[in-house]
Amino acid sequence: MAPVLKVAVIGAGISGLITARALKGEGHQVVVYEKLDQLGGTWVYNPEVESDPLGLDPNREIVHSSLYQSLRTNLPRQLMGFVDYPFAIRECGDSRNFPGHEEVLEFLNEFARDFGLVKLIRFKTEVVRVQQVDLRNDQWIVGSRTNKVSSDEVFDAVVVCVGHYTQPRLADLPVNQISIFMLQNLQGIENWPRKQMHSHNYRVPEPFQDQIVVVIGDGPSALDIPLEISKVAKEVHLSSKSSDIKLSKLDCGDNMWQHSKIDHVDGNGEVTFQDGAFIRADFILHCTGFNYCFPFLKTEGVVAVDDNRVGPLYKHIFPPQLAPNLSFVGVPYRSTSITMTVDLQAKWIALVLSGKAPLPSKEEMMADVQECYRYMDDKGIPKHHTHNLGLKFEYSDWLASQVGLAGAYEQTRLIEKSYFKFAADKGVWRRREWHPGCGIQDEESQGESDLETVDI
């Protein structure tokens, strides 16, 4: 008979909810800790922004969500559901294939209600410490705080599901470096006299009214936000990470231009790009992603974040020295169907904790991690891309094999191929024009190399 474990799940967003369901399905006793007063994690919109628009001040009051008011998914709803729980159009709901954040939150609430997860969640309870009880056993202490009252509780296992879309990352700035002189590694930034903001603190376009704005980044927010602010801004200039981009006017807006990487900025507000162009800007908007951050996790350095590499983690989930009693869900990004990936991760963890899916030895797991790191070094892949899955199916297929499924679901594959091919052919600016009838392409024509997936 499989053991019944007492398991703490940290976070009640997408990863936490799907993990709680998987653990509950295996008969484990589950407690979900949630800092907010409702479930949904990053999908809970908060109009408030932080006092420090760049997120550098360690003493600031942190706002968890990075949602802006108009945000829609950048994956179609056909790719946003779980393995056996589709994200269908709700009666009187948002009928678009790329729904707004309100619809996603409602979907998550329905999921939690249907599987009896709400009663497992301790709302308004912040986890402040996760630490082994004793090095001689596998139990863990979870220290939490509710209404300023602290308490400790012992668990057999802990699954960390806190996401990674809260702590702003400013290009190559290390997570422990808060000097404004190193922002974006931009020469002259210490003398920049005008406004700056990270996309984490973007909510509405009005602050950019009649401004000349430089947007730094290549990801999803660097596509969506410039389009929105271009409706009110005087000019919007996009700066890519690449030095090979040529100056061009974008056909998605009358006042939008694409540039290469920024070369330097001046104290007079001038921004000079590596393509030789320069402008005098009013605002720099950093759409440069986020840092992994687990301030509550106390492992004596066994698990650490180094230049956005969380590690060592076997298959992005288990720290070899602490497996299986400590695990992570939702660390990878740029996966194919990220919700399916999260679902498979959760199912695997639940089976491992039940003794139905044994892990390799600690030595074998560590060797696998080191081989992954060596491969990245040989290929010249930066450390901060450790958890970038590159929109490939290999990882989800491997997870599926561990939980008894024959690879990733074929229907999901077909939808993804159709969507990514459409975006590659029509341009990422038009990706939300995709619909299920756009056709399915063959495997060699996925068109996925430069596309990104939705933030979870």
Side-chain angles (χ1 to χ4, degrees), residues 111-124:
F111 175 80
R113 289 194 297 269
D114 287 350
F115 290 98
L117 304 179
V118 178
K119 62 184 178 182
L120 306 179
I121 305 173
R122 296 180 184 175
F123 293 105
K124 301 175 69 174

Side-chain angles (χ1 to χ4, degrees), residues 303-335:
V303 180
V305 180
D306 180 11
D307 191 17
N308 249 17
R309 169 184 285 173
V310 185
L313 292 183
Y314 176 64
K315 305 302 183 185
H316 306 279
I317 296 175
F318 291 106
Q321 286 184 243
L322 302 172
N325 303 80
L326 179 67
S327 57
F328 295 75
V329 172
V331 170
Y333 65 99
R334 290 194 193 179
S335 173

Side-chain angles (χ1 to χ4, degrees), residues 50-263:
E50 297 177 357
S51 57
D52 176 4
L54 287 174
L56 293 174
D57 181 2
N59 298 314
R60 71 193 188 283
E61 184 70 25
I62 293 176
V63 175
H64 178 73
S65 180
S66 298
L67 287 184
Y68 43 93
Q69 190 177 68
S70 65
L71 184 140
R72 296 168 60 190
T73 65
N74 64 348
L75 282 182
R77 66 170 68 242
Q78 291 84 354
L79 297 176
M80 289 289 292
F82 301 124
V83 169
D84 56 353
Y85 195 87
F87 185 11
I89 296 175
R90 269 60 179 165
E91 186 176 351
C92 302
D94 193 334
S95 62
R96 297 173 296 180
N97 282 318
F98 299 82
H101 57 83
E102 302 90 346
E103 185 86 355
V104 179
L105 184 59
E106 179 56 32
F107 166 72
L108 295 178
N109 275 281
E110 289 181 9
F111 175 80
R113 289 194 297 269
D114 287 350
F115 290 98
L117 304 179
V118 178
K119 62 184 178 182
L120 306 179
I121 305 173
R122 296 180 184 175
F123 293 105
K124 301 175 69 174
T125 303
E126 180 182 8
V127 172
V128 296
R129 180 168 61 103
V130 172
Q131 187 174 21
Q132 281 185 290
V133 172
D134 192 304
L135 294 178
R136 293 169 294 182
N137 62 48
D138 295 323
Q139 290 186 310
W140 290 78
I141 295 174
V142 174
S144 62
R145 185 167 52 228
T146 306
N147 296 324
K148 299 183 179 180
V149 177
S150 299
S151 63
D152 289 344
E153 192 165 347
V154 177
F155 291 86
D156 298 305
V158 176
V159 188
V160 179
C161 305
V162 296
H164 47 91
Y165 297 100
T166 294
Q167 180 62 45
R169 177 177 175 84
L170 295 154
D172 298 323
L173 190 68
V175 67
N176 62 349
Q177 174 58 260
I178 61 172
S179 170
I180 195 164
F181 295 95
M182 294 185 67
L183 280 180
Q184 188 64 23
N185 286 340
L186 293 180
Q187 180 182 346
I189 192 64
E190 67 274 17
N191 297 318
W192 172 258
R194 301 184 182 176
K195 299 176 184 176
Q196 294 188 76
M197 177 191 293
H198 189 276
S199 60
H200 172 64
N201 286 304
Y202 174 81
R203 297 293 181 271
V204 293
E206 280 71 21
F208 298 89
Q209 184 76 43
D210 299 323
Q211 302 283 287
I212 297 176
V213 185
V214 173
V215 180
I216 303 173
D218 294 290
S221 60
L223 295 174
D224 284 349
I225 295 176
L227 275 176
E228 181 165 273
I229 65 177
S230 69
K231 304 297 189 297
V232 300
K234 184 177 180 180
E235 297 175 8
V236 178
H237 298 263
L238 279 64
S239 172
S240 168
K241 288 182 290 188
S242 173
S243 301
D244 299 327
I245 297 293
K246 302 298 183 183
L247 173 62
S248 60
K249 194 170 189 303
L250 296 172
D251 58 10
C252 55
D254 293 335
N255 59 345
M256 297 179 66
W257 288 265
Q258 178 70 63
H259 297 263
S260 61
K261 191 174 181 180
I262 293 175
D263 183 76

